[in-house]
């Protein structure tokens, strides 16, 4: 984790980018200096969860308690306000589909937990930021949407899709000032990481495919695009 974080911070600095880092409370407790380093370099801190348990694997009361405690922990360790939430594995779905209604009361201004794709979300959901009934912003991650082709523009997607296709999609988002989270997991910049044990073939594929050289590819994909925090985008609305 420290190595991947250091590489990601250097990557942001190279691109003159500020980012929202969605952090886990239990990892921040283990590495408080890393959290303070992230905040100290001008990045925003969002909540990814107290642990990496998916929202729909908890009951609503337990999820709400974990969100409240995770937010308080990150704010205490970083000294920064935490106003954004992204559930592990985009898991405000299924039994947890309407739990976003608790987020404004818990002090959040936006959520990024739902995906306009099948399997991990709802393909009928909006693909651009929208306001929910309680004034909360929902900021869905980017997807490639061309006829029957619907693929994530994060994770394994940009690693395997043709460069020109991904670059054009990112340029379109930038021109729209779309407020779309361009998701990067720090481990994606560490091609030498150990293989994960006990995971499905599908997870193994999406985790490891085309990691080697991805940092260089991503520099080219994102070069010249203004990258800022989700908080800055929401604040400007």
């Amino acid at each position: 984790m420290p190595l991947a974080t250091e590489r990601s911070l250097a990557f942001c600095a190279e691109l003159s980018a500020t980012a929202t880092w969605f952090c886990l409370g239990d990892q921040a407790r283990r590495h408080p200096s890393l959290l303070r380093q992230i905040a100290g370099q001008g990045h925003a801190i969002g909540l990814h969860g107290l642990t990496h348990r998916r929202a729909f694997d908890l009951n609503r009361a337990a999820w709400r308690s974990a969100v409240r405690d995770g937010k308080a922990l990150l704010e205490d360790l970083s000294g920064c306000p935490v106003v954004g939430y992204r559930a592990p594995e985009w898991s405000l779905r299924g039994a947890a589909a309407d739990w976003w209604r608790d987020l404004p009361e818990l002090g959040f201004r936006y959520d990024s937990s739902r995906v306009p794709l099948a399997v991990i979300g709802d393909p009928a959901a909006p693909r651009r930021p929208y306001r929910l009934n309680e004034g909360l912003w929902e900021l869905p991650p980017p997807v490639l949407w061309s006829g029957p082709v619907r693929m994530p523009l994060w994770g394994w997607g940009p690693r395997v899709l043709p460069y020109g296709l991904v670059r054009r999609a990112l340029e379109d988002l930038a021109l729209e000032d779309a407020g779309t989270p361009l998701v990067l997991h720090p481990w994606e910049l560490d091609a030498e990481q150990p293989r994960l044990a006990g995971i499905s073939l599908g997870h193994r594929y999406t985790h490891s495919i085309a990691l080697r050289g991805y940092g260089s590819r991503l520099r080219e994909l994102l070069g010249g695009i203004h990258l800022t925090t989700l908080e800055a985008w929401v604040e400007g609305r």
Side-chain angles (χ1 to χ4, degrees):
M1 180 177 178
L3 174 61
T5 300
E6 294 285 353
R7 287 182 177 176
S8 298
L9 285 170
F11 182 78
C12 288
E14 185 177 340
L15 293 175
S16 299
T18 52
T20 297
W21 291 62
F22 289 104
C23 300
L24 294 170
D26 62 352
Q27 294 301 311
R29 188 184 285 115
R30 291 176 59 193
H31 304 281
S33 61
L34 283 180
L35 186 72
R36 289 190 284 269
Q37 185 178 358
I38 293 167
Q41 293 190 22
H43 303 292
I45 304 297
L47 177 66
H48 195 33
L50 186 60
T51 67
H52 204 262
R53 289 192 66 186
R54 295 173 298 185
F56 54 68
D57 288 334
L58 303 168
N59 63 51
R60 189 166 186 164
W63 170 82
R64 180 184 171 95
S65 177
V67 169
R68 182 194 63 230
D69 292 349
K71 181 179 190 296
L73 177 62
L74 292 182
E75 290 179 334
D76 181 58
L77 292 176
S78 70
C80 298
V82 173
V83 299
Y85 174 68
R86 180 169 90 76
E89 297 184 24
W90 322 99
S91 55
L92 286 191
R93 50 191 164 95
D98 69 342
W99 293 2
W100 60 266
R101 297 182 184 279
D102 292 357
L103 292 173
E105 182 185 343
L106 292 169
F108 292 91
R109 296 193 61 196
Y110 73 87
D111 173 60
S112 186
S113 300
R114 297 185 290 179
V115 179
L117 288 174
V119 181
I120 59 171
D122 177 5
R127 289 180 285 137
R128 293 293 186 269
Y130 57 100
R131 280 191 183 272
L132 297 162
N133 291 342
E134 279 73 7
L136 186 79
W137 279 100
E138 183 67 34
L139 308 182
V143 297
L144 178 69
W145 199 283
S146 178
V149 178
R150 302 175 182 182
M151 298 177 68
L153 280 173
W154 76 91
W156 62 274
R159 291 186 246 140
V160 301
L161 290 168
Y163 172 88
L165 192 65
V166 177
R167 175 68 187 193
R168 284 195 300 274
L170 295 177
E171 288 175 344
D172 288 344
L173 290 171
L175 287 172
E176 291 179 29
D177 187 23
T180 302
L182 301 181
V183 181
L184 171 67
H185 300 93
W187 53 260
E188 291 183 271
L189 299 178
D190 181 11
E192 306 303 325
Q193 62 190 276
R195 292 194 173 193
L196 295 175
I199 62 174
S200 69
L201 183 61
H203 274 90
R204 185 175 295 111
Y205 172 85
T206 57
H207 186 93
S208 61
I209 187 69
L211 277 183
R212 191 169 301 280
Y214 185 49
S216 297
R217 177 181 174 89
L218 200 57
R219 286 180 185 90
E220 294 182 13
L221 284 170
L222 298 177
I225 296 176
H226 177 61
L227 301 169
T228 190
T229 66
L230 299 177
E231 287 73 8
W233 187 89
V234 168
E235 187 66 29
R237 295 304 166 292

